[in-house]
Amino acid sequence: MAKRKGWVAPSNSPINSLDDGCLMHIFSFLSPIPDRYNTALVCHRWCFLACHPRLWLRVERPIKGVAEPGVFLNLEAAISAARPGDTILIAAGGNHVACNIQIKKPLCLIGGGELPDETVLTCSRGSDSALEFLSTCKIANLTIRAELGCCLLHRSGRLTIEGCVLQCEENPLDYLSFPIVSTATAYPSLKKGQQDEHGLTVARTRIEGGAKAVSTNGTLALQHVRAIYSRTSIFFWFEVGVVVDK
Amino acid sequence: MASQDCEAAASSRAAAASSQDCEAAASSRAEKEEQKTVRVAASSRAKKKEQKTVRVAASSSRAEKEEQKEERRTVRVTSNDGEEFEMDEAVARGSVMLRHMMELGIALDGVTLPIVSGEILALAVSYLRFHRDYDDGGSGYGYGYSYGYHSESEDTALTNFDRDLVKQLDQATLLDLLAASNYMEIEGLLRLTCQTVAEKLKGKTTEEIRQTFCIQNDYPPEEEEEVREEISWALEEKSLD
């Protein structure tokens, strides 16, 4: 990490005298990785603006019926238009369909409601999974409901699931219906301590239905499981990753 | 009104075509109506021409300055240091702010821009003059910040004029021009300047960005590390810089 030099500079650098809208407009021309990430670390104000929801893609029905840039009618369109590192905000309510959507670039999907229950992605009977992840991704505040198959299929990369609800068939046929299926395999990392292994991190997520919460078909293992039973449901925290020999 | 009649004639013609009986009668009736409306339109057009020549004749007797204004319709824009620029109305419409002022009728005695200097205004005016025919003026509303979504096709090839305009600008002038185009709501120029600044940010590390733009780092080291952790979820490699 670069040491912070004793940088003495005018407190009002000319670029910081631009208003928020202008700066966000400039940032919108940068790709999230690595340029917008670098700008976010410059100072507090830039961090606030570079990560601002105004720069996110949105999945919602446009109010005026006029197509706005950055607003998409369905999740698939938003995902194909997004750049690696983008965040997609999925509007609460409505009927979002997610069937076998493959995600091959790092994306963050966020539900737009107060509670995860307000934004529901439904996966219909004919599909294997709602979302299939082949890259490091993060999802938060969403409900994913799979009528027959699995909710999330994790193939590679690091997947973080935070504050979500995963719902599956109540009495499923064993081999079909798990909320999470991970087929990722560990591979020997080249440098020690470099965290680029595949894995899955689940936090504060309700898992309902399914034969068991997660099925690991690859070489990763379930670990660090923590569950809290609340009055109406169970919240889980766990990780799926490389088993570390102690 | 003439067009409405023509439309009515066309629809009645169409209706007549679909019905089989009285076809001949209907078509001849439609033809007669059409002839009538054409005659009416011709007569109203002749009337308008007549009125116009009367008006022009009358105005030529008025003061020359007023007549020029009515026919050429220009806007006078003054910078905050007193430099004046005169533009055709069509040119000034490239700036949404000026367009609204003209529509509200408050630009008749000229417009003074308190935050735009003469040097910057000259650049903006030259941009407007060049682009008067090429830009469609946009929706005249918002150039919404496209929510971070820019398709490759939207990064259209800049004209040589655009490239030359921003090429020789130093950083301070470029940022002033950006602020001015935001203030005057000139969509194309705002996008051009923002893209240019974004080019200067691309490929740089955080520290290099700070140096280029003289920004002081207001993160204490521990917080910087925290923020880095938080936002780097998508990175394959944790180490950067």
Side-chain angles (χ1 to χ4, degrees), chain A residues 1 4 7 13 19 22 25 29 35 37-38 41-44 47 54-56 58 83 107 136 158, chain B residues 145 147-148 150 182 203-204 206 210 213-219 223 225 228 233 235-236 240:
Chain A
M1 184 174 72
R4 190 165 73 103
W7 180 254
S13 62
D19 64 19
C22 286
H25 200 35
F29 287 99
D35 294 315
Y37 168 80
N38 283 328
L41 291 171
V42 167
C43 63
H44 280 106
C47 186
R54 216 156 156 199
L55 295 174
W56 295 351
R58 299 200 317 247
R83 289 170 295 187
L107 292 179
T136 298
R158 279 174 293 129
Chain B
Y145 301 105
Y147 298 96
H150 271 280
N182 183 40
K204 289 203 165 77
T206 308
R210 289 195 194 115
F213 290 99
C214 305
I215 302 172
Q216 194 162 17
N217 181 9
D218 54 2
Y219 279 121
E223 198 184 332
E225 193 52 39
R228 198 185 283 271
W233 57 269
L235 296 175
E236 295 306 314
L240 261 199

Side-chain angles (χ1 to χ4, degrees), chain B residues 52-77:
Chain B
K52 193 178 177 189
T53 50
V54 167
R55 219 190 311 136
V56 170
S59 74
S60 67
S61 63
R62 287 196 215 120
E64 198 185 81
K65 191 175 175 191
E66 268 189 5
E67 186 197 39
Q68 261 185 2
K69 242 190 189 159
E70 198 164 348
E71 281 181 7
R72 251 188 62 214
R73 303 178 75 138
T74 62
V75 172
R76 194 177 59 243
V77 184

Side-chain angles (χ1 to χ4, degrees), chain A residues 11 29 67 69 72 77 108 112 132 135-136 143 155 174 176 198 227 242:
Chain A
S11 50
F29 287 99
F72 301 89
C108 181
E132 186 178 341
S135 173
T136 298
T143 298
R155 293 233 187 257
D174 257 3
L176 277 182
H198 304 304
V242 177

Side-chain angles (χ1 to χ4, degrees), chain B residues 5-181:
Chain B
D5 287 338
C6 283
E7 266 180 45
S11 62
S12 74
R13 227 181 302 142
S18 59
S19 71
Q20 291 197 349
D21 32 13
C22 313
E23 194 183 307
S27 66
S28 69
R29 221 183 304 135
E31 256 184 82
K32 278 199 192 142
E33 266 186 30
E34 198 187 327
Q35 285 175 353
K36 191 171 162 198
T37 54
V38 166
R39 248 182 286 134
V40 169
S43 71
S44 70
R45 236 180 291 140
K47 226 186 269 178
K48 279 192 190 149
K49 254 195 191 156
E50 207 181 25
Q51 286 177 345
K52 193 178 177 189
T53 50
V54 167
R55 219 190 311 136
V56 170
S59 74
S60 67
S61 63
R62 287 196 215 120
E64 198 185 81
K65 191 175 175 191
E66 268 189 5
E67 186 197 39
Q68 261 185 2
K69 242 190 189 159
E70 198 164 348
E71 281 181 7
R72 251 188 62 214
R73 303 178 75 138
T74 62
V75 172
R76 194 177 59 243
V77 184
T78 314
S79 69
N80 63 0
D81 48 6
E83 271 189 62
E84 281 187 15
F85 298 87
E86 188 122 1
M87 288 184 273
D88 289 346
E89 236 181 50
V91 169
R93 287 174 76 75
S95 153
V96 176
M97 182 189 94
L98 291 178
R99 184 198 302 184
H100 287 162
M101 291 177 94
M102 293 190 296
E103 284 170 4
L104 292 171
I106 56 183
L108 294 173
D109 293 329
V111 178
T112 306
L113 304 175
I115 66 165
V116 183
S117 73
E119 184 194 345
I120 303 295
L121 189 51
L123 292 168
V125 170
S126 70
Y127 179 89
L128 286 174
R129 286 199 176 122
F130 181 81
H131 281 266
R132 71 181 280 181
D133 295 318
Y134 302 118
D135 286 337
D136 65 347
S139 59
Y141 220 138
Y143 32 93
Y145 301 105
S146 59
Y147 298 96
Y149 168 54
H150 271 280
S151 71
E152 289 312 309
S153 60
E154 274 178 22
D155 287 342
T156 49
L158 299 176
T159 64
N160 286 331
F161 175 87
D162 289 348
R163 251 191 294 267
D164 294 335
L165 182 68
V166 292
K167 199 165 51 174
Q168 81 273 29
L169 297 180
D170 63 328
Q171 193 187 104
T173 317
L174 178 62
L175 294 172
D176 283 339
L177 185 59
L178 201 161
S181 59

Side-chain angles (χ1 to χ4, degrees), chain A residues 175-235:
Chain A
Y175 64 97
L176 277 182
S177 185
F178 303 99
I180 305 175
V181 174
S182 174
T183 64
T185 55
Y187 64 91
S189 43
L190 299 166
K191 287 189 217 167
K192 248 201 154 70
Q194 195 171 17
Q195 291 185 40
D196 53 357
E197 305 118 357
H198 304 304
L200 185 64
T201 306
V202 173
R204 218 175 63 249
T205 296
R206 279 173 22 219
I207 301 183
E208 295 160 10
K212 53 179 180 173
V214 55
S215 154
T216 57
N217 298 339
T219 61
L220 303 180
L222 185 62
Q223 46 194 299
H224 306 140
V225 180
R226 185 159 58 109
I228 292 187
Y229 288 73
S230 78
R231 199 156 41 89
T232 48
S233 45
I234 312 174
F235 291 84

Side-chain angles (χ1 to χ4, degrees), chain A residues 72-216:
Chain A
F72 301 89
L73 286 177
N74 58 53
L75 184 55
E76 260 184 284
I79 288 175
S80 51
R83 289 170 295 187
D86 262 329
T87 303
I88 300 175
L89 183 69
I90 306 171
N95 183 18
H96 299 283
V97 174
C99 295
N100 287 334
I101 298 182
Q102 274 195 343
I103 302 181
K104 299 184 191 165
K105 46 195 157 177
L107 292 179
C108 181
L109 306 180
I110 300 188
E114 287 252 353
L115 297 171
D117 306 82
E118 294 172 15
T119 313
V120 182
L121 304 182
T122 312
C123 173
S124 57
R125 274 184 174 264
S127 323
D128 293 329
S129 65
L131 300 171
E132 186 178 341
F133 295 95
L134 292 103
S135 173
T136 298
C137 288
K138 181 171 170 180
I139 68 173
N141 206 34
L142 289 172
T143 298
I144 304 179
R145 190 176 293 156
E147 287 175 14
L148 190 57
C150 70
C151 299
L152 302 174
L153 182 52
H154 169 243
R155 293 233 187 257
S156 64
R158 279 174 293 129
L159 178 60
T160 307
I161 304 169
E162 223 177 82
C164 291
V165 177
L166 306 177
Q167 291 173 339
C168 268
E169 266 276 305
E170 276 300 321
N171 295 307
L173 296 168
D174 257 3
Y175 64 97
L176 277 182
S177 185
F178 303 99
I180 305 175
V181 174
S182 174
T183 64
T185 55
Y187 64 91
S189 43
L190 299 166
K191 287 189 217 167
K192 248 201 154 70
Q194 195 171 17
Q195 291 185 40
D196 53 357
E197 305 118 357
H198 304 304
L200 185 64
T201 306
V202 173
R204 218 175 63 249
T205 296
R206 279 173 22 219
I207 301 183
E208 295 160 10
K212 53 179 180 173
V214 55
S215 154
T216 57

